[in-house]
Amino acid sequence: PIEVVKTSDGIADDGGAQQEYTFSITNTSSEMDPVTILPGHISDDKLDDAEIYAAALEAWIDAVNDGSRDGADTIVLDPGEELWFQYMATIDIEADETHVNTLTVKGTDDEGNEVTDEDSDTVGVPKLAVTKEIKVGVDGVGDPIWMDANDPAFPQLVEPDDGKVEYRLVVENVG
């Protein structure tokens, strides 16, 4: 058997942006069953299959770095071996949307049995509320008192003695 894990930071910019995905494929066989993964057997329902396979193959070749895998076009994972690689993709996403995609990996063990696994990842645009606040004074223990600058009840701003007005932006994830 194999185990597939697909992750990202889960956050994208409104309108689409580059998203880095991290993948791992592990041969979880407890026996002496290597798993062979052929071109076209790593697929993603929304990303470029050929590019993802190329990234996986390059990472597998580089993992040994002794030249023994140079020129290979198939991936062979020994029992317990984990292949870890990254892939950068541009995703098109708008506010209030999510982008869910699934990576599926199929391979065969040395007896010809098919092994497969898949994992999904979700990316969304964070929903943020930004409030501009102005320091209006200090309380009895010296902590600043802040007020929402857009609040209709906000008092007329009186310039402080030192001539400096302090602002802050408060960003809250409301999604």
Side-chain angles (χ1 to χ4, degrees), residues 19 54 90 120 124 143:
Q19 181 67 45
T90 300
S120 298
D143 291 330

Side-chain angles (χ1 to χ4, degrees), residues 93-108:
I93 188 169
E94 300 297 326
D96 298 327
E97 292 180 343
T98 55
H99 178 90
V100 180
N101 59 333
T102 302
L103 181 77
T104 303
V105 178
K106 295 179 183 177
T108 54

Side-chain angles (χ1 to χ4, degrees), residues 1-2 31 33-36 106-116:
I2 57 174
E31 301 172 20
D33 282 336
V35 171
T36 301
K106 295 179 183 177
T108 54
D109 66 17
D110 62 345
E111 294 151 359
N113 299 312
E114 184 176 289
V115 294
T116 188

